[in-house]
Amino acid sequence: MKLLIKNSTVFMLAVIAIAACAFAVFDFDDAERRYCEAGVYDLLNDNLIDMYESEIAGERIVSDKSASQLKRTADRLGISAEKLKAIMLLQDLAGKTGRNASLSELAQMGDLKLLGYFKQCAKEYLATLPEERRAELEQKFKSAIK
């Protein structure tokens, strides 16, 4: 049961990374990739961002940025604003595990590499939490996804 809860919580946190990376396993042309990317990033909704910021980050990371701030930064990095939101959260999670990654480093990573990096960071972060807290996070993230 303990392993199931831990893996379920990793799964719930991985939804954020999956939203950023799932389309990468297919070989789309540029137009298809942009369409799919936009649809997949829509999974990273305001509820998930708010949940991450309140339950894990303890501060506003994405939600305090204006749309124009996000667009300028995303344009500078050569990515969509939605992908920027995902890597901003990933950068924070990585920092909580003692890993330092810049937004430009994360933006340059392939999507599958980002997903793997997120999974590593999530597992390491969750390993630092008591079982009760992992179960609580799992429940809260499940509610935010619905």
Side-chain angles (χ1 to χ4, degrees):
M1 181 67 172
K2 184 177 179 179
L3 182 60
L4 178 61
I5 291 172
K6 182 177 179 183
N7 287 336
S8 296
T9 307
V10 169
F11 173 77
M12 301 318 290
L13 290 174
V15 167
I16 294 169
I18 290 168
C21 305
F23 69 90
V25 298
F26 302 104
D27 186 22
F28 294 124
D29 66 30
D30 287 342
E32 291 170 321
R33 183 175 294 278
R34 283 193 303 273
Y35 172 78
C36 190
E37 179 178 309
V40 171
Y41 285 121
D42 285 344
L43 296 174
L44 182 58
N45 61 39
D46 290 339
N47 287 341
L48 281 173
I49 292 170
D50 290 343
M51 183 67 57
Y52 180 88
E53 289 175 338
S54 65
E55 296 296 329
I56 296 174
E59 63 182 308
R60 294 172 59 181
I61 296 169
V62 173
S63 60
D64 66 343
K65 308 293 185 276
S66 70
S68 62
Q69 288 175 311
L70 291 170
K71 184 176 178 351
R72 278 193 309 273
T73 303
D75 288 348
R76 184 177 51 81
L77 294 171
I79 60 175
S80 71
E82 297 305 315
K83 183 172 182 177
L84 174 61
K85 292 175 187 179
I87 66 172
M88 289 171 72
L89 298 178
L90 175 56
Q91 181 186 40
D92 179 75
L93 184 62
K96 292 186 180 323
T97 64
R99 298 170 186 258
N100 294 317
S102 70
L103 289 177
S104 60
E105 290 171 321
L106 293 172
Q108 291 175 8
M109 282 186 188
D111 294 323
L112 290 177
K113 188 171 182 177
L114 275 174
L115 180 58
Y117 187 67
F118 181 87
K119 286 182 178 180
Q120 281 181 314
C121 293
K123 284 181 184 179
E124 290 174 18
Y125 174 74
L126 291 170
T128 67
L129 302 177
E131 183 178 338
E132 298 80 26
R133 178 67 176 141
R134 287 192 304 264
E136 178 185 356
L137 282 175
E138 176 186 7
Q139 186 59 42
K140 287 181 178 185
F141 274 93
K142 278 183 183 179
S143 295
I145 291 170
K146 293 179 182 179

